[in-house]
């Protein structure tokens, strides 16, 4: 096994200018990630310099068998923490051979919204808090939980330390460092309320780059849990009952919100979000109704309310934002399995482009 590890960790730059590019895309379910690798003649830093590539869409639920070719368009490049050296991870989106975005390509529509001059001028910042649950591989039960049983009630696990309170820290730390290595703007991690549940934060990042970074961070996490023999779940309510669900709270601000008088802009934006509450909820993740019950730090899925420092609200405004009269707000409705391309672009479209 030591020889295998040596080969996996070979530094290709000692013998070749060639690099490996891992092309990554979102599969047909909207949450499954797929990837495959190709050799390039030398280092590349601009995604527009990368070749397009095809794959079998009939095997990912994205094309019929009789016309299965789907084309990957490279969109963002990150350093590869697994192969290291000059090797790269490439976030792609998917198109038909005729150049039309396939139905599961949510990045294309988001890119159009973020390219709108009115959105560009407002320089939208996002900070996304991605919660997830680590599961024991063969039993599909949270890491650290007794098989077929339950740990003690919630309370000591949030940001907890100790072998009886923290489960999977080696995976979490490996992921944290791998994301920093890759060039993802990961801003922190913490243990969550339910044991075996964790969170990482991406941002503040501008526009569509926030979503690219979340998807690559998810990919890196899946790869690390693959190595560790653990399963990562983005289910918004993995364990029924008196246990916290998993969300992807999305923090948001625009240039106008960050400047003097921004608090009034924030309140107008929240009013717009309230008017489109049902539309947003329908796009904020599958199974979210199991999480948004009005309990466990959530607002009821059918109710829109906002408040300062209220974690039981749909939208939370921080004390500092209220005090300084400018800043950001947090949309607490998105589920952990949300598509960040949909959520971030929808928030921008509602608050900046939509006129009630």
């Amino acid at each position: 096994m030591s020889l295998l590890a040596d080969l996996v960790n070979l530094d290709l730059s000692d013998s070749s200018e060639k690099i490996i590019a891992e092309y990554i895309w979102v599969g047909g379910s909207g949450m499954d990630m797929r990837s495959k690798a190709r050799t390039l003649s030398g280092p590349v830093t601009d995604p527009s310099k990368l070749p397009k590539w095809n794959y079998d869409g009939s095997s990912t639920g994205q094309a019929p068998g009789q016309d299965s070719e789907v084309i990957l368009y490279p969109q963002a490049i990150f350093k590869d923490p697994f192969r290291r050296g000059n090797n790269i991870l490439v976030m792609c989106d998917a198109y038909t051979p005729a150049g039309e975005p396939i139905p599961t390509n949510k990045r294309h529509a988001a890119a159009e919204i973020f390219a709108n001059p009115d959105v560009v001028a407002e320089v939208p910042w996002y900070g996304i808090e991605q919660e997830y649950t680590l599961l024991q591989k063969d039993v599909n039960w949270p890491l650290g939980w007794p098989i077929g049983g339950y740990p003690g009630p919630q309370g000591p696990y949030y940001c907890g330390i100790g072998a009886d309170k923290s489960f999977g820290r080696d995976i979490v730390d490996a992921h944290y460092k791998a994301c920093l290595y890759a060039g993802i703007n990961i801003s922190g991690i913490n243990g969550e309320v339910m044991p075996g549940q964790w969170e990482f934060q991406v941002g503040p990042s501008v526009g569509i780059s926030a979503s690219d970074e979340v998807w690559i961070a998810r990919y890196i996490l899946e790869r690390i849990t693959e190595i560790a023999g653990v399963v990562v779940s983005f289910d918004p309510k993995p364990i029924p009952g008196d246990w916290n669900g998993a969300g992807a709270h999305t923090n948001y601000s625009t240039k106008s919100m960050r400047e003097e008088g921004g608090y009034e802009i924030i309140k107008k934006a929240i009013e717009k979000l309230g008017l489109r509450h049902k539309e947003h909820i329908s796009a904020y993740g599958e199974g979210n109704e199991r999480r948004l019950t009005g309990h466990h730090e959530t607002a009821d899925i059918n109710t829109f309310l906002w408040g300062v420092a209220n974690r039981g609200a749909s939208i939370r405004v921080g004390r500092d934002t209220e005090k300084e009269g400018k800043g950001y707000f947090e949309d607490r409705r998105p589920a952990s399995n949300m598509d960040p391309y949909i959520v971030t672009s929808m928030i921008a479209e509602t608050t900046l482009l939509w006129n009630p």
Side-chain angles (χ1 to χ4, degrees), residues 25 36 53-72 94-97 102:
W25 70 98
K36 61 177 184 169
W53 201 10
N54 66 71
Y55 70 92
D56 172 17
S58 69
S59 295
T60 63
Q62 294 174 295
Q66 65 272 21
D67 186 15
S68 66
E69 192 167 286
V70 181
I71 313 300
L72 294 170
Y95 297 79
T96 67
I102 65 171

Side-chain angles (χ1 to χ4, degrees), residues 8-248:
V8 168
N9 294 321
L10 268 179
D11 186 352
L12 298 178
S13 61
D14 291 342
S15 59
S16 175
E17 291 185 359
K18 293 180 178 179
I19 69 158
I20 302 171
E22 190 79 27
Y23 279 43
I24 299 163
W25 70 98
V26 181
S29 75
M31 269 305 292
D32 60 312
M33 301 200 72
R34 310 286 178 133
S35 76
K36 61 177 184 169
R38 67 183 298 164
T39 306
L40 303 176
S41 58
V44 181
T45 56
D46 181 351
S48 68
K49 300 291 196 298
L50 289 167
K52 295 172 184 174
W53 201 10
N54 66 71
Y55 70 92
D56 172 17
S58 69
S59 295
T60 63
Q62 294 174 295
Q66 65 272 21
D67 186 15
S68 66
E69 192 167 286
V70 181
I71 313 300
L72 294 170
Y73 286 29
Q75 300 291 357
I77 291 174
F78 299 85
K79 292 172 66 179
D80 186 338
F82 303 103
R83 296 188 177 106
R84 288 168 285 195
N86 291 320
N87 303 300
I88 55 175
L89 304 177
V90 184
M91 189 65 208
C92 305
D93 58 354
Y95 297 79
T96 67
E100 295 295 320
I102 65 171
T104 54
N105 178 356
K106 305 305 179 185
R107 191 186 192 280
H108 180 79
E112 290 185 333
I113 290 172
F114 284 117
N116 185 295
D118 292 339
V119 177
V120 172
E122 282 291 345
V123 196
W125 288 4
Y126 296 91
I128 298 172
E129 305 171 31
Q130 176 68 70
E131 295 178 348
Y132 60 94
T133 308
L134 297 174
L135 303 176
Q136 301 170 61
K137 180 169 173 279
D138 296 325
V139 293
N140 226 35
W141 200 237
L143 203 64
W145 289 36
I147 302 298
Y150 295 86
Q154 296 181 154
Y157 310 108
Y158 173 70
C159 297
I161 57 170
D164 58 341
K165 295 180 282 293
S166 176
F167 312 109
R169 190 183 297 276
D170 52 349
I171 292 170
V172 174
D173 262 4
H175 177 251
Y176 195 173
K177 289 184 177 179
C179 285
L180 287 171
Y181 179 94
I184 294 167
N185 188 24
I186 186 169
S187 48
I189 55 99
N190 60 267
E192 265 305 327
V193 177
M194 189 180 86
Q197 198 172 75
W198 293 82
E199 173 185 300
F200 65 86
Q201 302 95 32
V202 168
S205 299
V206 178
I208 203 163
S209 64
S211 300
D212 287 336
E213 291 178 13
V214 168
W215 274 117
I216 293 294
R218 285 174 172 177
Y219 173 83
I220 291 172
L221 180 59
E222 292 238 35
R223 285 284 303 276
I224 290 172
T225 53
E226 173 190 321
I227 294 166
V230 170
V231 174
V232 59
S233 170
F234 295 104
D235 189 290
K237 186 73 173 180
I239 305 296
D242 195 17
W243 303 97
N244 273 37

Side-chain angles (χ1 to χ4, degrees), residues 270-271 273-275 277 281 294 297-317 329-333:
I270 293 172
E271 183 181 353
L273 289 169
L275 292 173
H277 177 62
I281 284 294
E297 302 181 36
T298 70
D300 180 83
I301 194 168
N302 297 311
T303 303
F304 181 87
L305 60 97
W306 74 276
V308 177
N310 182 1
R311 294 184 182 276
S314 313
I315 305 289
R316 181 186 68 86
V317 174
F329 64 83
E330 174 191 41
D331 191 338
R332 296 179 60 82
R333 297 171 295 173

